[in-house]
Amino acid sequence: MNKTEIETSLGPSLVKKDSHLWEIDLSSLRIFFGLSILSRSLSEEIGNLLHTSPGDISFIQKINPSINHELVDMHIQYVQVHSRVGVFKDWLLFRDQFEEDLRFVLGSFQRQSLAKKLHPEFYSQDPKFQGSVALLFPFYRNNRSEIVNYQILLERVTSQISVGDFFIRITIDSADSSPLNLSNIPHEIVADSGVRTYIAGSSKISESLNNGIINAAQKGETFFEEENRHFSKVFEQIEKTPLGKLTNINFYWEDQFRNLILNTDPLNSLPMMKKLFILLEDSEVAKSIKEGNTILAKLGKTEVYVDLSRLDRVLNFSFNKKRTHVDSDFYLRRMPLLEKVGNSENHNLNFSGIHIFLIHHITSEIIAMIEALRRLEVKSLDVAFVKYGGNIPPVYLDVLLDIPTEAFFMAGLEFKLTKNNRPYYAVSPLYSNFSEHKFFSQKLEEAKFGFFDAMRYLATYLFFNKILKFKSGDDKILLIEDGGYVAPILNQRCKEDKTLGELCEEFWISCPQDLAGRKLKDFLSERVVGTVEHTRNGYDRLVKTAGVEKDLVFPAFSIAISEQKTLEESKEVAHSILNAIENALHGLGKVLSTRKIMTLGSMGNIGGFLQKYLIGGRLHETNLKVIEVDLKCKSSTDVLFPNFTSVSDEIFYDIDLIIGVTGDSVLKQKDWENWILNGNKPHLYVASGSTKTVEFADLIEWLNQLYLNNDPKIGDIPVRLTNDRILDPQTQMDLGGKVRFNFVQDGKEKEKTIFLLSDGSPINFLFFGVPTESMDPIITQLTTVSLGLAGHYKNKTLPAPKLYAVDHQIDQWGKSL
């Protein structure tokens, strides 16, 4: 834009204030509610009369003051509609279009420049010098449809029975045979319907969002988010504007606005909210926002900054101050150890010439790692984000989607439910543009996989899609992952002597014909430097894949059993698990301290600290008996057992909370059935602290089977299932799923409810995971060992294709011990 001022359909102009900042003053803009309701009412009456009246359409309707009180305040009491026979002969074909056009006509009251001409004295105009001018809308000129051949005349007419009052006359007439003598009617032609997109239902939309902001502000929050769910009216309407399809609308505010909105009657703050949506109706404003500009809308006591973010998918309204923009540098500065590595302090290693495929959780620490990898000259970075449940902070997506896309791509999954309330995971729309992978998205949607399988397919698909695009024989890739999604598959399929075509077929990958017959091992050996693993589960999968020979196809470095990881991080993970369980229970009105608890994997790194923190402070002194199950146990005691089969029914029936940190599905279907039918407690809680959703895979699979069964039974006992979500009563945060079982046993009606916290995925990731201070040395170690592996490749000193663990075979820089 080269102009410094742009006229708008609202009356006030856009005024340029900075290179990408435009201002518009809507302080004096009159707000009208219920215009779309009025247009729909008039349209419906026309439709009714077309079926009952043989002649012209003519009726008068009183304005409803409870819906259109602004019109009544302007002394407009009635609206009269007239149309000759024949104008609506194609009514069934253009009925929806006509209602939209009628909304545009009545929307003239909302356009200050037009409303002044129609109703001058109510806009400080002297009627002696400026009389009312009719408005003529030649819709036939728009050529939107060959069947639209009408024009609409809008007039304000003085009432003949009430002095000082008026009515609106709406005349719908044929364009080619109009009897109107327009030369005798002072009028102005309004032919700019393209400059405005009427947002139908903006009053209701504004009311809903206004209430959402007030509720959030009452909780002390400074942010409110509206997501684009199916059949969302607000997003459906905004999509018609130049802004296009959005995924979210975000509202930000500071203390001054919070105090204002909490101390103001909601009816008084509502016009301010509606002004924001009227602003979007103007095409010049919407185009300016779409072009990357920020609009500063002055609304009297408040001003609002309006802009788009996340590849134009998110519309932001920031009250009284611009949205705070943070970048990945901000998160890296919070991790001083990692920042030093990223700035190449005390080392001379880098990733120049090497592509990286990263699989990890979407946390602030991983955003910092992404920035460190970029500073270390990675050639390109692809990320498959691990996300089980909870909400992704909007600022994370803002930061990630601001990273230049030429050398950065990201994808992830979203939690979904089938019609039978069976949970599954599909490709999320929140990340990079995934449109070129429509076939894969459709296949994954159809598969209805649980988290681990869906993530394994997504990551493997993207990994191979990446390397199949390598143009140069010099292109090499390093895989860094958290959880063993891809590396075990690569090694296992190579060991099975699979071809590239066979693997591509398994994972829905389009394989070039000339490469399909190549041995997978040969193809990957030319492109893969090696793999790096973060977690114990991923480490154990690689150990299993290596077999007794301890051989892999690629060198694999791991921090999973390093001293830093097993001791220091495990403590913080245990704390975060218990903190998350407590938060979830508090939302249900329950406490952790009185639960009867069983821990699976109680002698592991995390499990040991769970036991210590439960008995050492989380539980009441009268409830210090925690049942422990772990394969490392040599013999049973009254609380410690080597396997679940050693736990007596008497002990098991008294348990109401099971915490699993084994990385394996210990309890089977018969155990869950036994617990539900015979347990002593009506509410049964299940929480996982281990990677992915394998901890309670048998429970999840069994529940899925019950959901699909028209006649569900536990054993031979018929049960009635009721599925619901666990929602925090204050924040409405989704904390997982719950299933209520109603059945008759021994002649008695019984009810049991299983609460599957975080849907069986690691519960600590519902909230904050492990604090940044504790994760800094861990993520730093993951980065340095990756640098070490890249350095070995560059120096042609890659070790034999085996598994190497930090503090055991190698140090944190990948050097042999």
Side-chain angles (χ1 to χ4, degrees):
M1 295 181 183
N2 296 319
K3 298 180 180 179
T4 58
E5 185 170 344
I6 300 174
E7 292 184 359
T8 73
S9 64
L10 300 171
S13 297
L14 279 173
V15 179
K16 191 172 186 177
K17 292 296 181 180
D18 204 343
S19 58
H20 293 288
L21 178 65
W22 292 74
E23 182 183 294
I24 186 169
D25 192 345
L26 301 180
S27 302
S28 60
L29 182 69
R30 283 177 177 267
I31 294 298
F32 292 82
F33 291 92
L35 293 177
S36 59
I37 296 175
L38 179 58
S39 64
R40 185 168 61 250
S41 172
L42 297 176
S43 183
E44 288 175 353
E45 181 62 18
I46 290 171
N48 292 335
L49 290 175
L50 285 172
H51 292 292
T52 59
S53 175
D56 293 348
I57 299 297
S58 186
F59 63 92
I60 191 165
Q61 183 172 300
K62 186 173 176 58
I63 300 291
N64 187 334
S66 64
I67 298 176
N68 302 109
H69 73 85
E70 296 86 6
L71 293 178
V72 174
D73 291 344
M74 297 170 76
H75 294 205
I76 297 174
Q77 305 289 347
Y78 296 88
V79 56
Q80 186 174 39
V81 177
H82 180 78
S83 178
R84 291 188 311 130
V85 170
V87 174
F88 291 112
K89 61 183 177 64
D90 294 317
W91 172 251
L92 294 178
L93 298 177
F94 63 66
R95 177 174 54 190
D96 292 340
Q97 180 64 58
F98 175 78
E99 187 172 328
E100 185 175 325
D101 290 339
L102 192 55
R103 279 199 299 266
F104 184 83
V105 169
L106 293 174
S108 300
F109 285 98
Q110 198 62 81
R111 297 176 59 180
Q112 196 164 290
S113 56
L114 294 179
K116 282 182 178 180
K117 296 171 182 177
L118 186 71
H119 211 50
E121 51 266 60
F122 283 83
Y123 287 89
S124 304
Q125 305 290 320
D126 189 338
K128 294 180 180 178
F129 302 101
Q130 179 65 55
S132 176
V133 175
L135 302 175
L136 179 66
F137 299 84
F139 290 110
Y140 64 91
R141 293 184 185 176
N142 295 329
N143 296 320
R144 288 170 293 180
S145 172
E146 294 181 0
I147 58 172
V148 172
N149 191 37
Y150 54 75
Q151 56 187 355
I152 299 178
L153 184 70
L154 177 67
E155 300 172 87
R156 188 207 71 178
V157 185
T158 301
S159 170
Q160 64 180 0
I161 61 171
S162 180
V163 177
D165 282 351
F166 307 91
F167 68 92
I168 301 168
R169 181 192 293 143
I170 296 176
T171 305
I172 306 103
D173 213 354
S174 175
D176 52 13
S177 58
S178 174
L180 288 172
N181 186 358
L182 291 173
S183 61
N184 289 332
I185 303 175
H187 69 279
E188 181 168 315
I189 296 176
V190 183
D192 62 350
S193 59
V195 305
R196 193 169 182 81
T197 303
Y198 197 88
I199 296 178
S202 59
S203 297
K204 285 291 183 184
I205 290 169
S206 301
E207 182 179 3
S208 174
L209 294 175
N210 192 55
N211 290 338
I213 290 172
I214 291 172
N215 290 337
Q218 287 172 339
K219 298 172 188 174
E221 297 174 5
T222 58
F223 169 79
F224 174 71
E225 178 181 42
E226 181 77 4
E227 295 182 13
N228 188 353
R229 301 180 179 88
H230 293 301
F231 311 113
S232 173
K233 189 73 174 176
V234 57
F235 290 94
E236 175 189 300
Q237 291 297 310
I238 290 178
E239 190 173 345
K240 298 188 298 185
T241 74
L243 295 178
K245 190 169 185 177
L246 302 174
T247 61
N248 298 77
I249 301 175
N250 295 338
F251 298 87
Y252 303 85
W253 57 85
E254 34 70 271
D255 288 342
Q256 182 182 350
F257 177 78
R258 179 174 177 269
N259 293 333
L260 172 67
I261 200 166
L262 292 181
N263 294 316
T264 302
D265 188 318
L267 292 177
N268 294 328
S269 62
L270 185 55
M272 175 182 64
M273 185 60 59
K274 182 158 184 181
K275 283 184 181 181
L276 296 178
F277 285 92
I278 291 172
L279 182 69
L280 301 180
E281 292 180 349
D282 182 84
S283 63
E284 291 294 345
V285 172
K287 285 176 185 176
S288 182
I289 296 172
K290 187 71 172 178
E291 289 169 358
N293 295 299
T294 297
I295 303 297
L296 172 57
K298 291 187 170 293
L299 307 178
K301 294 181 179 179
T302 302
E303 56 185 31
V304 185
Y305 292 87
V306 189
D307 71 331
L308 288 172
S309 63
R310 301 185 212 164
L311 304 179
D312 293 348
R313 299 174 187 165
V314 176
L315 178 65
N316 304 290
F317 294 104
S318 308
F319 294 90
N320 289 340
K321 69 175 184 179
K322 293 186 74 171
R323 224 169 21 99
T324 302
H325 288 275
V326 299
D327 55 22
S328 49
D329 291 353
F330 168 81
Y331 294 103
L332 185 57
R333 288 194 297 272
R334 297 169 70 225
M335 301 176 70
L337 297 177
L338 182 61
E339 185 178 26
K340 288 181 180 179
V341 173
N343 290 338
S344 298
E345 295 183 25
N346 304 318
H347 74 89
N348 59 0
L349 298 172
N350 59 50
F351 294 110
S352 64
I354 295 176
H355 305 271
I356 287 180
F357 193 93
L358 174 65
I359 305 169
H360 219 295
H361 297 274
I362 182 165
T363 64
S364 65
E365 295 79 26
I366 297 306
I367 295 175
M369 182 181 179
I370 288 170
E371 175 60 25
L373 295 178
R374 295 176 66 218
R375 291 188 186 185
L376 291 166
E377 302 177 47
V378 64
K379 189 170 185 179
S380 75
L381 178 60
D382 290 63
V383 185
F385 278 119
V386 178
K387 189 73 183 79
Y388 312 114
N391 298 320
I392 302 172
V395 67
Y396 289 4
L397 292 171
D398 290 341
V399 170
L400 291 166
L401 286 165
D402 277 344
I403 297 175
T405 58
E406 294 81 9
F408 179 71
F409 179 87
M410 60 178 175
L413 299 172
E414 65 174 345
F415 177 84
K416 300 180 78 172
L417 292 169
T418 66
K419 293 180 180 178
N420 303 88
N421 285 309
R422 175 187 175 185
Y424 71 98
Y425 289 82
V427 175
S428 170
L430 295 179
Y431 305 98
S432 297
N433 188 343
F434 210 80
S435 58
E436 70 173 281
H437 309 293
K438 287 181 180 178
F439 177 74
F440 175 83
S441 295
Q442 181 180 345
K443 294 288 288 185
L444 192 63
E445 178 73 32
E446 293 170 355
K448 302 291 187 290
F449 283 146
F451 182 82
F452 178 67
D453 286 333
M455 193 68 203
R456 186 165 57 99
Y457 264 74
L458 174 69
T460 304
Y461 169 85
L462 290 174
F463 180 79
F464 275 88
N465 188 72
K466 175 75 174 180
I467 59 178
L468 282 168
K469 290 181 178 178
F470 284 172
K471 302 294 184 184
S472 168
D474 294 331
D475 278 321
K476 302 293 179 180
I477 195 165
L478 176 64
L479 171 66
I480 306 173
E481 63 176 333
D482 178 277
Y485 295 98
V486 175
I489 290 173
L490 300 184
N491 285 280
Q492 186 63 40
R493 297 298 184 270
C494 287
K495 283 189 163 190
E496 293 167 356
D497 205 28
K498 295 288 186 182
T499 65
L500 176 62
E502 288 174 321
L503 184 133
C504 287
E505 183 178 2
E506 179 182 358
F507 290 95
W508 312 322
I509 302 161
S510 178
C511 182
Q513 195 67 36
D514 59 326
L515 295 176
R518 288 204 64 187
K519 294 294 184 184
L520 181 63
K521 181 177 179 180
D522 295 340
F523 175 80
L524 290 175
S525 296
E526 296 171 358
R527 293 163 174 81
V528 178
V529 171
T531 68
V532 180
E533 174 56 53
H534 185 144
T535 67
R536 182 59 188 254
N537 281 340
Y539 177 87
D540 290 343
R541 286 192 175 89
L542 285 170
V543 169
K544 184 178 180 180
T545 303
V548 293
E549 304 89 356
K550 299 184 178 180
D551 288 332
L552 295 171
V553 179
F554 314 100
F557 287 4
S558 176
I559 69 168
I561 57 174
S562 72
E563 184 175 323
Q564 183 73 45
K565 185 86 165 64
T566 55
L567 294 179
E568 297 307 316
E569 186 190 26
S570 295
K571 295 176 185 177
E572 298 303 333
V573 170
H575 275 304
S576 68
I577 290 169
L578 295 178
N579 176 64
I581 292 173
E582 281 189 313
N583 281 329
L585 289 173
H586 290 171
L588 291 164
K590 303 292 183 179
V591 293
L592 175 63
S593 56
T594 60
R595 304 268 70 79
K596 300 299 181 182
I597 301 172
M598 174 190 289
T599 57
L600 308 175
S602 62
M603 298 177 70
N605 292 324
I606 297 173
F609 289 113
L610 282 176
Q611 291 295 120
K612 180 179 179 179
Y613 301 148
L614 281 168
I615 296 172
R618 279 318 213 280
L619 298 181
H620 285 173
E621 62 277 3
T622 58
N623 182 40
L624 297 179
K625 184 177 179 180
V626 177
I627 304 304
E628 305 178 49
V629 178
D630 199 296
L631 293 174
K632 296 176 184 176
C633 173
K634 301 302 181 184
S635 59
S636 298
T637 68
D638 61 333
V639 294
L640 180 58
F641 302 90
N643 51 61
F644 180 73
T645 56
S646 303
V647 180
S648 68
D649 283 345
E650 181 183 3
I651 292 174
F652 183 43
Y653 293 162
D654 202 38
I655 298 297
D656 64 354
L657 169 60
I658 297 175
I659 305 174
V661 286
T662 67
D664 196 10
S665 189
V666 174
L667 274 65
K668 306 302 178 184
Q669 177 180 330
K670 61 181 179 59
D671 304 315
W672 299 111
E673 291 181 334
N674 186 23
W675 199 29
I676 291 168
L677 291 178
N678 303 308
N680 299 327
K681 307 295 178 63
H683 293 164
L684 309 172
Y685 305 93
V686 179
S688 170
S690 71
T691 306
K692 296 169 282 298
T693 52
V694 295
E695 191 72 36
F696 300 112
D698 283 85
L699 169 61
I700 294 169
E701 179 57 32
W702 174 57
L703 290 175
N704 287 342
Q705 293 172 8
L706 289 176
Y707 296 149
L708 298 173
N709 197 323
N710 293 326
D711 186 25
K713 293 181 180 180
I714 299 181
D716 59 355
I717 298 178
V719 295
R720 187 175 75 255
L721 301 180
T722 305
N723 305 288
D724 205 352
R725 305 303 297 165
I726 307 169
L727 299 178
D728 185 279
Q730 288 190 333
T731 66
Q732 292 301 295
M733 180 180 178
D734 192 328
L735 302 175
K738 61 181 177 180
V739 184
R740 187 169 70 243
F741 296 81
N742 291 92
F743 55 94
V744 177
Q745 187 181 35
D746 300 328
K748 296 181 179 179
E749 290 190 5
K750 292 188 176 181
E751 180 177 297
K752 298 286 180 68
T753 304
I754 282 190
F755 294 82
L756 188 56
L757 304 180
S758 193
D759 295 295
S761 63
I763 188 170
N764 49 320
F765 286 101
L766 267 181
F767 299 93
F768 300 103
V770 179
T772 298
E773 187 175 13
S774 299
M775 288 305 296
D776 188 11
I778 303 297
I779 300 302
T780 299
Q781 196 172 87
L782 185 65
T783 304
T784 58
V785 78
S786 301
L787 278 168
L789 185 52
H792 279 302
Y793 162 72
K794 291 181 179 182
N795 295 326
K796 296 182 170 54
T797 58
L798 278 175
K802 294 180 182 294
L803 180 57
Y804 302 87
V806 171
D807 293 336
H808 295 265
Q809 292 82 30
I810 56 175
D811 67 11
Q812 71 170 20
W813 292 94
K815 296 177 181 178
S816 297
L817 292 176

